[in-house]
Amino acid sequence: MAKIARYPSLLPFTGKVDGPTARAASAAPAKQDKDHALWREKSLRRLFTIGHIEHENELEQSTRDHIVRESMEVLRSNDRGGYTVPAEGLYPFQWNWDSAIVAAGWAVFDELRAWKELETLFSDQWKDGMVASINFHKFSKTYFPGPEIWGTPENPSKTSGISQPPVAALSARFMYEHTAHPVEAKQKIEDLFPKILAWHRWWYKARDPNNTGVVAILHPWESGMDNSPAWDESMTFPIDPTLPPYERQDLTHVNANMRPTKDTYDRYLTLLYRFKRENFYDPDKLYEISPFRVTDLCVNSILFRANRDLRWLALQLGKTDAVAEIEGWLDNGFEGFKKLWDEEAGLFKCQDQITGKLEDAAISAAFLPLFAGVATREQAARLVENLSTWLKHVKYSVPSLDPQDPRFEQLRYWRGPIWLIINWMISNGLRHYGYDELADRIRNDSIELTNKAGLREYFDPVTGDGAGGTKFSWTAAMCLAWLDRNAVIAIGHKMSGHKDYLN
Ligand code: GLC
Protein backbone atom coordinates (compact mmCIF):
# COMPACT_ATOMS: atom_id res chain seq x y z
CA MET A 1 0.00 0.00 0.00
CA ALA A 2 2.90 2.34 0.70
CA LYS A 3 3.75 2.24 -2.99
CA ILE A 4 0.26 3.19 -4.05
CA ALA A 5 0.35 6.22 -1.78
CA ARG A 6 3.37 7.48 -3.68
CA TYR A 7 1.10 8.14 -6.64
CA PRO A 8 -1.63 10.11 -4.96
CA SER A 9 -3.27 11.66 -7.96
CA LEU A 10 -4.74 9.39 -10.54
CA LEU A 11 -7.56 11.78 -11.16
CA PRO A 12 -7.63 13.79 -14.35
CA PHE A 13 -4.88 16.31 -14.18
CA THR A 14 -6.23 19.84 -14.21
CA GLY A 15 -3.36 22.15 -13.32
CA LYS A 16 -0.48 23.24 -15.46
CA VAL A 17 2.72 21.30 -14.89
CA ASP A 18 4.90 23.57 -16.88
CA GLY A 19 5.26 27.20 -17.84
CA PRO A 20 7.95 29.68 -16.91
CA THR A 21 7.39 29.53 -13.14
CA ALA A 22 7.44 25.78 -12.99
CA ARG A 23 10.55 25.73 -15.17
CA ALA A 24 12.39 28.13 -12.89
CA ALA A 25 11.44 26.08 -9.87
CA SER A 26 12.80 22.93 -11.42
CA ALA A 27 16.24 24.49 -11.85
CA ALA A 28 16.73 24.10 -8.09
CA PRO A 29 19.22 21.57 -6.66
CA ALA A 30 18.21 17.91 -6.52
CA LYS A 31 16.58 18.51 -9.89
CA GLN A 32 16.74 14.87 -10.94
CA ASP A 33 14.76 13.83 -7.90
CA LYS A 34 12.18 16.47 -8.57
CA ASP A 35 11.89 15.45 -12.20
CA HIS A 36 11.51 11.88 -11.14
CA ALA A 37 8.83 12.90 -8.69
CA LEU A 38 7.03 14.83 -11.42
CA TRP A 39 6.09 11.77 -13.42
CA ARG A 40 5.24 9.86 -10.30
CA GLU A 41 2.98 12.35 -8.65
CA LYS A 42 0.77 13.44 -11.51
CA SER A 43 -1.62 11.53 -13.65
CA LEU A 44 -1.51 12.46 -17.29
CA ARG A 45 -4.17 14.41 -19.09
CA ARG A 46 -7.02 12.31 -20.32
CA LEU A 47 -6.25 10.44 -23.47
CA PHE A 48 -8.64 12.39 -25.60
CA THR A 49 -8.59 15.84 -24.13
CA ILE A 50 -11.00 17.96 -26.08
CA GLY A 51 -11.85 21.60 -26.08
CA HIS A 52 -14.89 23.07 -27.71
CA ILE A 53 -14.62 23.39 -31.43
CA GLU A 54 -15.65 26.94 -32.16
CA HIS A 55 -17.37 26.54 -35.47
CA GLU A 56 -16.73 29.72 -37.35
CA ASN A 57 -19.70 29.34 -39.56
CA GLU A 58 -22.45 26.97 -40.55
CA LEU A 59 -20.43 25.62 -43.43
CA GLU A 60 -17.65 24.40 -41.17
CA GLN A 61 -20.13 22.89 -38.73
CA SER A 62 -21.76 20.91 -41.48
CA THR A 63 -18.37 19.84 -42.85
CA ARG A 64 -17.42 18.47 -39.46
CA ASP A 65 -20.75 16.72 -39.04
CA HIS A 66 -20.22 15.21 -42.44
CA ILE A 67 -16.75 13.99 -41.44
CA VAL A 68 -18.13 12.45 -38.26
CA ARG A 69 -20.73 10.53 -40.23
CA GLU A 70 -18.15 9.50 -42.78
CA SER A 71 -15.78 8.36 -40.02
CA MET A 72 -18.43 6.04 -38.59
CA GLU A 73 -19.11 4.81 -42.10
CA VAL A 74 -15.41 4.11 -42.70
CA LEU A 75 -15.17 2.03 -39.51
CA ARG A 76 -18.31 0.13 -40.46
CA SER A 77 -17.16 -0.52 -44.00
CA ASN A 78 -13.69 -1.60 -42.85
CA ASP A 79 -15.24 -3.93 -40.25
CA ARG A 80 -14.54 -7.54 -41.16
CA GLY A 81 -16.50 -9.02 -38.26
CA GLY A 82 -14.79 -8.38 -34.94
CA TYR A 83 -11.79 -6.57 -36.35
CA THR A 84 -11.28 -3.53 -38.53
CA VAL A 85 -8.85 -3.45 -41.46
CA PRO A 86 -6.78 -0.24 -41.69
CA ALA A 87 -7.81 0.26 -45.32
CA GLU A 88 -9.52 -1.89 -47.91
CA GLY A 89 -7.00 -3.54 -50.28
CA LEU A 90 -3.81 -1.84 -49.06
CA TYR A 91 -3.99 -3.35 -45.55
CA PRO A 92 -6.48 -6.26 -45.59
CA PHE A 93 -5.75 -7.80 -42.16
CA GLN A 94 -5.87 -6.75 -38.50
CA TRP A 95 -2.93 -4.51 -37.63
CA ASN A 96 -2.05 -4.25 -33.97
CA TRP A 97 -1.73 -0.57 -33.05
CA ASP A 98 -4.24 0.42 -35.72
CA SER A 99 -6.80 -1.82 -34.04
CA ALA A 100 -6.14 -0.48 -30.56
CA ILE A 101 -6.55 3.09 -31.80
CA VAL A 102 -9.60 2.18 -33.84
CA ALA A 103 -11.18 0.64 -30.70
CA ALA A 104 -11.21 4.12 -29.16
CA GLY A 105 -13.03 5.38 -32.27
CA TRP A 106 -15.63 2.60 -32.10
CA ALA A 107 -16.04 3.29 -28.39
CA VAL A 108 -17.64 6.68 -28.93
CA PHE A 109 -20.56 5.18 -30.84
CA ASP A 110 -20.58 1.41 -30.30
CA GLU A 111 -18.99 0.33 -27.04
CA LEU A 112 -19.56 -3.37 -27.43
CA ARG A 113 -17.94 -3.34 -30.84
CA ALA A 114 -14.99 -1.48 -29.34
CA TRP A 115 -14.36 -4.22 -26.75
CA LYS A 116 -14.68 -6.80 -29.51
CA GLU A 117 -11.86 -5.11 -31.44
CA LEU A 118 -9.48 -5.60 -28.51
CA GLU A 119 -10.73 -9.12 -27.82
CA THR A 120 -10.06 -10.14 -31.42
CA LEU A 121 -6.62 -8.54 -31.28
CA PHE A 122 -5.72 -10.69 -28.28
CA SER A 123 -7.36 -13.84 -29.68
CA ASP A 124 -4.12 -14.74 -31.49
CA GLN A 125 -1.76 -13.76 -28.69
CA TRP A 126 1.30 -16.00 -28.66
CA LYS A 127 1.93 -18.36 -25.77
CA ASP A 128 4.96 -16.28 -24.77
CA GLY A 129 2.76 -13.17 -24.52
CA MET A 130 3.58 -11.47 -27.82
CA VAL A 131 0.75 -9.80 -29.69
CA ALA A 132 1.84 -9.75 -33.32
CA SER A 133 1.92 -6.74 -35.63
CA ILE A 134 -0.56 -8.42 -38.00
CA ASN A 135 -3.27 -11.03 -37.41
CA PHE A 136 -4.16 -12.76 -40.68
CA HIS A 137 -7.74 -13.73 -39.95
CA LYS A 138 -8.93 -14.18 -43.52
CA PHE A 139 -7.13 -14.87 -46.74
CA SER A 140 -6.25 -11.92 -48.99
CA LYS A 141 -4.06 -11.59 -52.05
CA THR A 142 -3.72 -7.82 -51.87
CA TYR A 143 -0.86 -7.58 -49.34
CA PHE A 144 2.76 -8.67 -49.32
CA PRO A 145 4.31 -10.26 -47.25
CA GLY A 146 1.24 -12.28 -46.32
CA PRO A 147 0.83 -15.36 -44.10
CA GLU A 148 2.53 -17.74 -46.52
CA ILE A 149 5.78 -15.73 -46.29
CA TRP A 150 5.93 -15.18 -42.53
CA GLY A 151 6.12 -18.91 -41.78
CA THR A 152 5.41 -18.66 -38.07
CA PRO A 153 4.37 -21.87 -36.24
CA GLU A 154 1.32 -22.55 -38.35
CA ASN A 155 1.41 -22.76 -42.10
CA PRO A 156 0.07 -20.48 -43.40
CA SER A 157 0.83 -18.30 -40.40
CA LYS A 158 -1.94 -16.96 -38.23
CA THR A 159 0.12 -13.87 -37.46
CA SER A 160 3.30 -12.05 -38.37
CA GLY A 161 6.34 -12.86 -36.19
CA ILE A 162 7.08 -9.43 -34.70
CA SER A 163 5.07 -6.92 -32.64
CA GLN A 164 3.98 -3.27 -32.86
CA PRO A 165 3.58 -0.34 -30.40
CA PRO A 166 1.56 -1.52 -27.38
CA VAL A 167 -1.41 0.87 -27.47
CA ALA A 168 -4.02 -1.61 -26.12
CA ALA A 169 -3.74 -0.62 -22.43
CA LEU A 170 -4.44 3.00 -23.33
CA SER A 171 -7.67 2.17 -25.14
CA ALA A 172 -8.74 -0.31 -22.48
CA ARG A 173 -8.39 2.35 -19.79
CA PHE A 174 -10.19 4.94 -21.91
CA MET A 175 -13.07 2.56 -22.55
CA TYR A 176 -13.31 1.46 -18.94
CA GLU A 177 -13.20 5.00 -17.64
CA HIS A 178 -15.95 6.24 -19.93
CA THR A 179 -18.19 3.22 -20.10
CA ALA A 180 -21.95 3.40 -20.07
CA HIS A 181 -22.05 -0.20 -18.79
CA PRO A 182 -19.72 -0.41 -15.77
CA VAL A 183 -20.58 -3.98 -14.80
CA GLU A 184 -19.97 -5.41 -18.26
CA ALA A 185 -16.90 -3.23 -18.73
CA LYS A 186 -15.40 -4.51 -15.47
CA GLN A 187 -15.79 -8.05 -16.77
CA LYS A 188 -14.13 -7.10 -20.05
CA ILE A 189 -11.24 -5.56 -18.16
CA GLU A 190 -10.92 -8.60 -15.88
CA ASP A 191 -10.50 -10.74 -19.00
CA LEU A 192 -8.18 -8.40 -20.87
CA PHE A 193 -5.95 -7.32 -18.02
CA PRO A 194 -3.84 -10.52 -17.71
CA LYS A 195 -3.39 -10.63 -21.48
CA ILE A 196 -2.15 -7.06 -21.69
CA LEU A 197 0.10 -7.64 -18.69
CA ALA A 198 1.56 -10.74 -20.38
CA TRP A 199 2.25 -8.69 -23.50
CA HIS A 200 4.08 -5.97 -21.56
CA ARG A 201 6.10 -8.69 -19.79
CA TRP A 202 6.97 -10.08 -23.20
CA TRP A 203 8.39 -6.70 -24.27
CA TYR A 204 10.74 -6.68 -21.31
CA LYS A 205 11.74 -10.32 -21.52
CA ALA A 206 12.13 -10.57 -25.28
CA ARG A 207 13.28 -7.07 -26.12
CA ASP A 208 15.14 -5.93 -22.99
CA PRO A 209 16.85 -9.04 -21.64
CA ASN A 210 19.58 -6.90 -20.06
CA ASN A 211 17.06 -4.93 -18.04
CA THR A 212 17.98 -1.46 -19.28
CA GLY A 213 14.44 -0.13 -18.82
CA VAL A 214 13.91 0.55 -22.53
CA VAL A 215 13.08 -2.10 -25.11
CA ALA A 216 14.51 -2.82 -28.55
CA ILE A 217 12.77 -3.23 -31.86
CA LEU A 218 14.28 -5.87 -34.11
CA HIS A 219 12.57 -4.75 -37.33
CA PRO A 220 11.55 -1.26 -38.53
CA TRP A 221 7.99 -2.61 -38.87
CA GLU A 222 7.96 -3.19 -35.14
CA SER A 223 8.16 0.58 -34.51
CA GLY A 224 5.10 1.35 -36.63
CA MET A 225 7.22 4.08 -38.28
CA ASP A 226 8.42 1.65 -40.88
CA ASN A 227 10.39 3.84 -43.24
CA SER A 228 11.75 6.43 -40.82
CA PRO A 229 15.18 7.97 -41.50
CA ALA A 230 15.92 7.03 -37.88
CA TRP A 231 16.69 3.54 -39.22
CA ASP A 232 18.92 4.62 -42.12
CA GLU A 233 22.20 4.09 -40.27
CA SER A 234 21.06 0.79 -38.77
CA MET A 235 19.64 -0.54 -42.05
CA THR A 236 23.03 -0.82 -43.75
CA PHE A 237 23.57 -4.53 -43.08
CA PRO A 238 24.07 -6.61 -46.25
CA ILE A 239 21.02 -7.68 -48.24
CA ASP A 240 20.60 -11.46 -48.25
CA PRO A 241 21.83 -12.61 -51.70
CA THR A 242 19.55 -15.68 -51.51
CA LEU A 243 16.39 -13.59 -51.06
CA PRO A 244 13.62 -15.28 -53.07
CA PRO A 245 12.13 -13.08 -55.81
CA TYR A 246 9.04 -11.21 -54.64
CA GLU A 247 6.35 -8.90 -55.93
CA ARG A 248 5.31 -5.94 -53.82
CA GLN A 249 1.60 -5.30 -53.54
CA ASP A 250 1.79 -1.84 -51.94
CA LEU A 251 2.80 -0.30 -55.28
CA THR A 252 -0.42 -1.51 -56.90
CA HIS A 253 -2.39 0.63 -54.42
CA VAL A 254 -0.17 3.67 -53.84
CA ASN A 255 2.25 5.70 -55.96
CA ALA A 256 5.90 4.54 -55.63
CA ASN A 257 7.10 8.01 -54.61
CA MET A 258 5.09 7.66 -51.39
CA ARG A 259 6.49 4.24 -50.44
CA PRO A 260 9.78 2.70 -49.30
CA THR A 261 12.41 2.04 -51.98
CA LYS A 262 13.30 -1.43 -53.30
CA ASP A 263 16.57 -1.38 -51.40
CA THR A 264 14.73 -0.76 -48.13
CA TYR A 265 12.21 -3.50 -48.92
CA ASP A 266 15.04 -5.97 -49.61
CA ARG A 267 16.37 -5.25 -46.15
CA TYR A 268 12.93 -5.65 -44.52
CA LEU A 269 12.78 -9.09 -46.12
CA THR A 270 16.39 -9.94 -45.28
CA LEU A 271 15.41 -9.54 -41.61
CA LEU A 272 12.18 -11.46 -42.00
CA TYR A 273 13.84 -14.48 -43.65
CA ARG A 274 16.67 -14.39 -41.15
CA PHE A 275 14.21 -14.47 -38.24
CA LYS A 276 12.23 -17.23 -39.88
CA ARG A 277 15.36 -19.33 -40.33
CA GLU A 278 16.35 -18.75 -36.72
CA ASN A 279 12.91 -19.83 -35.54
CA PHE A 280 10.42 -17.20 -34.48
CA TYR A 281 9.58 -18.92 -31.22
CA ASP A 282 12.83 -18.12 -29.56
CA PRO A 283 12.86 -14.37 -28.95
CA ASP A 284 16.04 -14.57 -26.84
CA LYS A 285 17.84 -15.91 -29.85
CA LEU A 286 16.39 -13.25 -32.15
CA TYR A 287 17.57 -10.52 -29.84
CA GLU A 288 21.13 -11.86 -30.18
CA ILE A 289 21.21 -12.54 -33.91
CA SER A 290 19.26 -9.63 -35.37
CA PRO A 291 21.52 -7.28 -37.36
CA PHE A 292 18.98 -4.56 -36.59
CA ARG A 293 18.48 -3.73 -32.90
CA VAL A 294 17.33 -0.25 -32.06
CA THR A 295 15.81 1.51 -29.05
CA ASP A 296 12.84 3.18 -30.68
CA LEU A 297 11.13 6.24 -29.21
CA CYS A 298 7.70 5.37 -30.54
CA VAL A 299 7.44 1.92 -28.95
CA ASN A 300 9.14 3.02 -25.74
CA SER A 301 7.04 6.15 -25.22
CA ILE A 302 3.84 4.25 -25.86
CA LEU A 303 4.95 1.40 -23.61
CA PHE A 304 5.75 3.83 -20.80
CA ARG A 305 2.36 5.50 -21.09
CA ALA A 306 0.65 2.12 -21.48
CA ASN A 307 2.32 1.00 -18.25
CA ARG A 308 0.81 3.97 -16.45
CA ASP A 309 -2.63 3.03 -17.77
CA LEU A 310 -2.12 -0.63 -16.98
CA ARG A 311 -1.13 0.36 -13.46
CA TRP A 312 -4.33 2.39 -13.19
CA LEU A 313 -6.35 -0.63 -14.32
CA ALA A 314 -4.47 -2.86 -11.84
CA LEU A 315 -5.49 -0.48 -9.07
CA GLN A 316 -9.14 -0.64 -10.15
CA LEU A 317 -8.96 -4.43 -10.04
CA GLY A 318 -7.09 -4.52 -6.73
CA LYS A 319 -4.11 -6.35 -8.24
CA THR A 320 -1.39 -5.09 -5.94
CA ASP A 321 1.31 -7.49 -7.15
CA ALA A 322 0.83 -6.27 -10.67
CA VAL A 323 0.93 -2.65 -9.48
CA ALA A 324 4.35 -3.27 -7.92
CA GLU A 325 5.63 -5.03 -11.04
CA ILE A 326 4.49 -2.20 -13.30
CA GLU A 327 5.99 0.42 -11.00
CA GLY A 328 9.30 -1.39 -11.39
CA TRP A 329 9.04 -1.03 -15.19
CA LEU A 330 8.18 2.66 -14.83
CA ASP A 331 11.14 3.33 -12.55
CA ASN A 332 13.55 1.51 -14.86
CA GLY A 333 11.99 3.18 -17.87
CA PHE A 334 12.57 6.60 -16.39
CA GLU A 335 16.28 5.74 -16.05
CA GLY A 336 16.41 4.15 -19.52
CA PHE A 337 15.02 7.24 -21.23
CA LYS A 338 17.86 9.38 -19.89
CA LYS A 339 20.33 7.94 -22.34
CA LEU A 340 18.07 8.73 -25.29
CA TRP A 341 18.33 12.47 -24.66
CA ASP A 342 20.63 14.40 -27.01
CA GLU A 343 21.50 17.46 -24.98
CA GLU A 344 23.12 19.30 -27.86
CA ALA A 345 20.14 18.84 -30.17
CA GLY A 346 17.58 19.34 -27.41
CA LEU A 347 15.71 16.26 -28.60
CA PHE A 348 15.21 12.62 -27.78
CA LYS A 349 16.80 10.25 -30.29
CA CYS A 350 16.50 6.58 -31.10
CA GLN A 351 19.60 4.53 -30.33
CA ASP A 352 21.33 1.77 -32.25
CA GLN A 353 21.91 -0.89 -29.61
CA ILE A 354 24.61 -2.62 -31.63
CA THR A 355 26.87 0.41 -32.10
CA GLY A 356 25.57 2.30 -29.06
CA LYS A 357 25.19 5.46 -31.19
CA LEU A 358 22.18 7.76 -31.06
CA GLU A 359 20.56 7.84 -34.51
CA ASP A 360 21.14 11.25 -36.06
CA ALA A 361 17.64 11.78 -37.50
CA ALA A 362 15.28 14.10 -35.62
CA ILE A 363 11.88 12.48 -36.07
CA SER A 364 8.39 13.19 -34.77
CA ALA A 365 8.78 10.40 -32.21
CA ALA A 366 11.30 12.72 -30.51
CA PHE A 367 8.26 14.47 -29.00
CA LEU A 368 6.49 11.33 -27.81
CA PRO A 369 8.22 11.24 -24.41
CA LEU A 370 5.85 14.15 -23.69
CA PHE A 371 2.95 11.77 -24.30
CA ALA A 372 4.62 9.24 -22.01
CA GLY A 373 5.09 11.96 -19.39
CA VAL A 374 8.70 10.83 -18.97
CA ALA A 375 10.38 14.04 -20.18
CA THR A 376 11.65 16.47 -17.55
CA ARG A 377 10.44 20.07 -17.55
CA GLU A 378 13.68 21.33 -19.09
CA GLN A 379 13.53 18.65 -21.75
CA ALA A 380 9.92 19.60 -22.50
CA ALA A 381 10.95 23.24 -22.95
CA ARG A 382 13.73 22.30 -25.38
CA LEU A 383 11.41 20.00 -27.29
CA VAL A 384 8.92 22.82 -27.65
CA GLU A 385 11.66 25.15 -28.93
CA ASN A 386 12.63 22.58 -31.53
CA LEU A 387 9.09 21.83 -32.57
CA SER A 388 8.36 25.53 -32.99
CA THR A 389 11.37 25.86 -35.28
CA TRP A 390 10.26 22.87 -37.36
CA LEU A 391 6.86 24.44 -37.80
CA LYS A 392 8.36 27.58 -39.32
CA HIS A 393 9.37 25.44 -42.29
CA VAL A 394 6.03 23.77 -43.04
CA LYS A 395 2.42 24.87 -43.13
CA TYR A 396 0.92 21.99 -41.16
CA SER A 397 2.05 20.19 -38.00
CA VAL A 398 3.65 17.72 -37.23
CA PRO A 399 5.98 16.45 -39.98
CA SER A 400 7.45 13.01 -39.32
CA LEU A 401 10.99 14.31 -39.96
CA ASP A 402 12.64 17.65 -39.20
CA PRO A 403 11.86 19.63 -42.40
CA GLN A 404 15.37 21.10 -42.27
CA ASP A 405 16.88 17.63 -42.75
CA PRO A 406 18.03 17.11 -46.38
CA ARG A 407 16.29 13.69 -46.29
CA PHE A 408 12.91 15.36 -45.76
CA GLU A 409 10.40 14.21 -48.39
CA GLN A 410 6.95 15.63 -47.92
CA LEU A 411 5.17 12.65 -49.45
CA ARG A 412 7.29 9.62 -48.69
CA TYR A 413 6.06 7.36 -45.97
CA TRP A 414 7.48 8.34 -42.54
CA ARG A 415 10.12 10.62 -44.11
CA GLY A 416 8.13 13.84 -43.89
CA PRO A 417 4.33 13.37 -43.97
CA ILE A 418 1.95 13.89 -41.06
CA TRP A 419 0.06 11.08 -39.31
CA LEU A 420 -2.96 12.11 -37.28
CA ILE A 421 -2.31 9.48 -34.61
CA ILE A 422 1.12 11.00 -33.92
CA ASN A 423 -0.42 14.48 -33.87
CA TRP A 424 -2.87 13.32 -31.25
CA MET A 425 -0.12 11.89 -29.05
CA ILE A 426 2.11 14.96 -29.35
CA SER A 427 -0.78 17.34 -28.74
CA ASN A 428 -1.89 15.39 -25.69
CA GLY A 429 1.68 15.36 -24.36
CA LEU A 430 2.13 19.10 -24.88
CA ARG A 431 -1.05 19.76 -22.96
CA HIS A 432 0.20 17.67 -20.11
CA TYR A 433 3.27 19.89 -19.80
CA GLY A 434 1.18 23.05 -20.08
CA TYR A 435 1.91 24.02 -23.69
CA ASP A 436 -1.72 24.46 -24.58
CA GLU A 437 -1.22 26.87 -27.44
CA LEU A 438 0.99 24.52 -29.38
CA ALA A 439 -1.30 21.61 -28.50
CA ASP A 440 -4.23 23.59 -29.95
CA ARG A 441 -2.32 24.44 -33.07
CA ILE A 442 -1.69 20.74 -33.74
CA ARG A 443 -5.31 19.90 -33.14
CA ASN A 444 -6.54 22.73 -35.37
CA ASP A 445 -4.14 21.72 -38.13
CA SER A 446 -5.46 18.18 -37.86
CA ILE A 447 -9.03 19.45 -38.24
CA GLU A 448 -8.03 21.52 -41.25
CA LEU A 449 -6.24 18.59 -42.86
CA THR A 450 -9.23 16.29 -42.61
CA ASN A 451 -11.55 19.10 -43.78
CA LYS A 452 -9.35 19.65 -46.78
CA ALA A 453 -8.24 16.16 -47.70
CA GLY A 454 -10.59 13.70 -45.97
CA LEU A 455 -9.77 10.52 -44.08
CA ARG A 456 -6.43 9.78 -45.71
CA GLU A 457 -3.62 7.62 -44.35
CA TYR A 458 -1.26 10.60 -44.01
CA PHE A 459 -0.87 14.21 -45.15
CA ASP A 460 1.64 16.46 -46.88
CA PRO A 461 2.90 19.01 -44.30
CA VAL A 462 3.67 21.58 -46.99
CA THR A 463 0.49 21.51 -49.11
CA GLY A 464 -1.95 19.76 -46.78
CA ASP A 465 -2.82 17.24 -49.50
CA GLY A 466 -3.86 13.75 -48.45
CA ALA A 467 -1.60 10.79 -49.34
CA GLY A 468 -1.30 7.01 -49.08
CA GLY A 469 -4.49 5.02 -48.49
CA THR A 470 -8.01 6.42 -48.52
CA LYS A 471 -10.92 5.77 -46.09
CA PHE A 472 -8.35 5.06 -43.44
CA SER A 473 -9.58 3.56 -40.20
CA TRP A 474 -7.27 5.18 -37.65
CA THR A 475 -7.75 8.60 -39.23
CA ALA A 476 -11.51 8.06 -38.87
CA ALA A 477 -11.02 6.95 -35.26
CA MET A 478 -9.04 10.12 -34.53
CA CYS A 479 -11.89 12.25 -35.90
CA LEU A 480 -14.38 10.48 -33.66
CA ALA A 481 -12.42 10.17 -30.44
CA TRP A 482 -10.18 13.22 -30.57
CA LEU A 483 -11.06 15.90 -33.09
CA ASP A 484 -14.84 15.80 -33.17
CA ARG A 485 -16.09 14.22 -29.98
CA ASN A 486 -18.47 17.07 -29.39
CA ALA A 487 -19.70 16.80 -32.99
CA VAL A 488 -20.25 13.09 -32.34
CA ILE A 489 -22.24 14.02 -29.28
CA ALA A 490 -24.15 16.69 -31.20
CA ILE A 491 -25.35 14.24 -33.79
CA GLY A 492 -26.54 11.81 -31.21
CA HIS A 493 -23.86 9.23 -30.54
CA LYS A 494 -21.79 9.38 -27.42
CA MET A 495 -20.08 7.40 -24.78
CA SER A 496 -21.62 7.81 -21.38
CA GLY A 497 -19.95 7.56 -18.03
CA HIS A 498 -17.82 10.39 -16.73
CA LYS A 499 -18.57 13.62 -18.47
CA ASP A 500 -15.37 15.41 -17.62
CA TYR A 501 -14.09 15.20 -21.15
CA LEU A 502 -12.61 18.66 -20.89
CA ASN A 503 -9.93 17.64 -18.44
C1 GLC B 1 1.95 1.02 -42.31
C2 GLC B 1 2.40 1.82 -41.10
C3 GLC B 1 2.11 1.03 -39.84
C4 GLC B 1 0.63 0.68 -39.81
C5 GLC B 1 0.20 -0.03 -41.09
C6 GLC B 1 -1.30 -0.20 -41.19
O1 GLC B 1 2.66 -0.16 -42.43
O2 GLC B 1 3.75 2.14 -41.20
O3 GLC B 1 2.45 1.78 -38.72
O4 GLC B 1 0.33 -0.10 -38.72
O5 GLC B 1 0.59 0.74 -42.21
O6 GLC B 1 -1.94 1.04 -41.13
Side-chain angles (χ1 to χ4, degrees):
M1 287 315 283
K3 278 213 151 182
I4 295 170
R6 286 206 315 246
Y7 299 79
S9 167
L10 282 164
L11 298 169
F13 174 62
T14 49
K16 289 194 173 199
V17 173
D18 210 344
T21 330
R23 268 200 300 281
S26 72
K31 176 177 68 65
Q32 293 292 9
D33 292 349
K34 276 199 181 163
D35 288 335
H36 200 165
L38 176 75
W39 74 263
R40 289 177 147 267
E41 84 203 7
K42 296 288 185 193
S43 175
L44 295 176
R45 289 290 186 122
R46 292 212 170 216
L47 204 50
F48 297 105
T49 309
I50 61 168
H52 288 292
I53 301 176
E54 297 294 347
H55 291 300
E56 275 166 17
N57 53 45
E58 279 301 304
L59 182 67
E60 200 196 339
Q61 172 73 60
S62 64
T63 310
R64 294 317 294 172
D65 286 357
H66 172 74
I67 288 175
V68 163
R69 285 177 214 279
E70 199 176 288
S71 298
M72 292 180 192
E73 195 37 51
V74 162
L75 294 196
R76 287 198 188 99
S77 68
N78 287 340
D79 184 0
R80 294 291 175 275
Y83 69 97
T84 313
V85 297
E88 166 84 33
L90 181 62
Y91 299 114
F93 307 111
Q94 183 177 31
W95 262 259
N96 187 328
W97 72 326
D98 294 65
S99 243
I101 288 165
V102 157
W106 277 112
V108 299
F109 69 106
D110 187 343
E111 208 182 317
L112 204 60
R113 180 60 188 77
W115 289 113
K116 184 73 191 153
E117 189 76 31
L118 293 185
E119 285 160 4
T120 312
L121 178 62
F122 280 87
S123 66
D124 284 328
Q125 182 167 28
W126 287 30
K127 281 199 189 71
D128 65 5
M130 184 178 83
V131 184
S133 58
I134 311 174
N135 288 354
F136 303 115
H137 300 291
K138 287 180 200 155
F139 177 75
S140 169
K141 276 200 287 206
T142 64
Y143 179 81
F144 176 87
E148 61 295 341
I149 303 293
W150 279 95
T152 51
E154 321 80 14
N155 194 5
S157 307
K158 281 167 83 177
T159 71
S160 69
I162 54 174
S163 199
Q164 253 194 339
V167 175
L170 278 62
S171 311
R173 173 179 174 173
F174 168 67
M175 283 150 57
Y176 184 58
E177 228 179 342
H178 293 277
T179 183
H181 309 284
V183 177
E184 291 83 351
K186 181 103 189 271
Q187 188 54 54
K188 300 284 184 198
I189 285 293
E190 294 269 7
D191 294 346
L192 273 170
F193 180 85
K195 298 177 185 169
I196 304 179
L197 182 68
W199 185 23
H200 289 204
R201 279 184 185 145
W202 174 86
W203 274 108
Y204 290 108
K205 181 168 184 301
R207 298 292 191 257
D208 184 26
N210 301 322
N211 202 22
T212 65
V214 281
V215 300
I217 54 165
L218 302 185
H219 195 296
W221 290 338
E222 218 159 37
S223 79
M225 299 187 163
D226 307 6
N227 196 29
S228 172
W231 326 134
D232 286 1
E233 289 162 274
S234 305
M235 282 282 276
T236 47
F237 53 82
I239 293 169
D240 179 353
T242 67
L243 213 56
Y246 64 94
E247 207 177 312
R248 283 170 67 172
Q249 291 297 320
D250 55 330
L251 302 181
T252 65
H253 306 287
V254 174
N255 197 307
N257 70 350
M258 300 183 189
R259 301 289 303 179
T261 61
K262 163 147 177 36
D263 192 70
T264 307
Y265 238 86
D266 282 353
R267 287 195 169 79
Y268 292 154
L269 291 170
T270 296
L271 289 172
L272 190 160
Y273 281 105
R274 180 90 191 264
F275 294 168
K276 183 156 120 176
R277 276 201 301 273
E278 298 287 343
N279 188 343
F280 271 121
Y281 333 126
D282 186 355
D284 300 347
K285 198 163 170 193
L286 289 197
Y287 184 87
E288 292 308 324
I289 61 99
S290 178
F292 178 92
R293 202 168 76 217
V294 173
T295 309
D296 159 43
L297 289 167
C298 184
V299 162
N300 278 291
S301 301
I302 290 174
L303 181 58
F304 193 94
R305 172 114 189 194
N307 279 331
R308 300 176 76 136
D309 285 347
L310 196 60
R311 179 185 170 281
W312 184 91
L313 288 169
L315 283 170
Q316 308 305 306
L317 299 177
K319 297 193 184 289
T320 35
D321 287 356
V323 171
E325 183 178 2
I326 298 165
E327 286 176 356
W329 295 335
L330 286 165
D331 281 333
N332 273 351
F334 185 80
E335 291 306 309
F337 262 93
K338 285 183 184 166
K339 61 176 188 285
L340 305 179
W341 177 249
D342 179 343
E343 177 60 28
E344 201 186 321
L347 284 169
F348 286 95
K349 297 271 177 74
C350 298
Q351 185 178 34
D352 186 315
Q353 292 197 359
I354 297 169
T355 63
K357 268 183 62 193
L358 290 182
E359 308 281 2
D360 69 344
I363 60 170
S364 55
F367 307 110
L368 293 182
L370 299 171
F371 180 66
V374 72
T376 64
R377 294 168 189 183
E378 282 90 351
Q379 286 168 342
R382 304 253 345 248
L383 290 172
V384 165
E385 247 173 66
N386 260 302
L387 181 52
S388 307
T389 308
W390 286 27
L391 297 187
K392 290 189 187 130
H393 297 268
V394 286
K395 185 152 183 233
Y396 298 96
S397 53
V398 175
S400 39
L401 175 66
D402 179 351
Q404 302 155 99
D405 186 315
R407 288 168 292 190
F408 176 78
E409 287 185 75
Q410 64 206 62
L411 277 180
R412 200 184 296 277
Y413 202 56
W414 296 110
R415 302 180 83 85
I418 299 165
W419 267 259
L420 243 54
I421 56 154
I422 304 299
N423 274 9
W424 153 59
M425 295 183 205
I426 296 175
S427 171
N428 178 280
L430 286 167
R431 230 177 261 291
H432 173 60
Y433 285 84
Y435 294 97
D436 286 355
E437 210 176 299
L438 200 46
D440 285 343
R441 150 125 204 231
I442 295 172
R443 182 162 170 273
N444 290 337
D445 282 359
S446 306
I447 290 175
E448 204 177 317
L449 288 169
T450 46
N451 268 352
K452 188 173 147 68
L455 304 172
R456 298 298 300 268
E457 182 176 6
Y458 46 90
F459 302 88
D460 181 328
V462 179
T463 64
D465 292 343
T470 55
K471 298 190 177 198
F472 218 83
S473 294
W474 66 15
T475 308
M478 286 291 99
C479 286
L480 293 167
W482 177 43
L483 298 178
D484 294 312
R485 261 247 304 293
N486 44 4
V488 177
I489 290 165
I491 65 171
H493 300 276
K494 62 173 176 177
M495 271 192 98
S496 311
H498 306 285
K499 297 295 189 298
D500 45 354
Y501 294 143
L502 297 181
N503 289 321

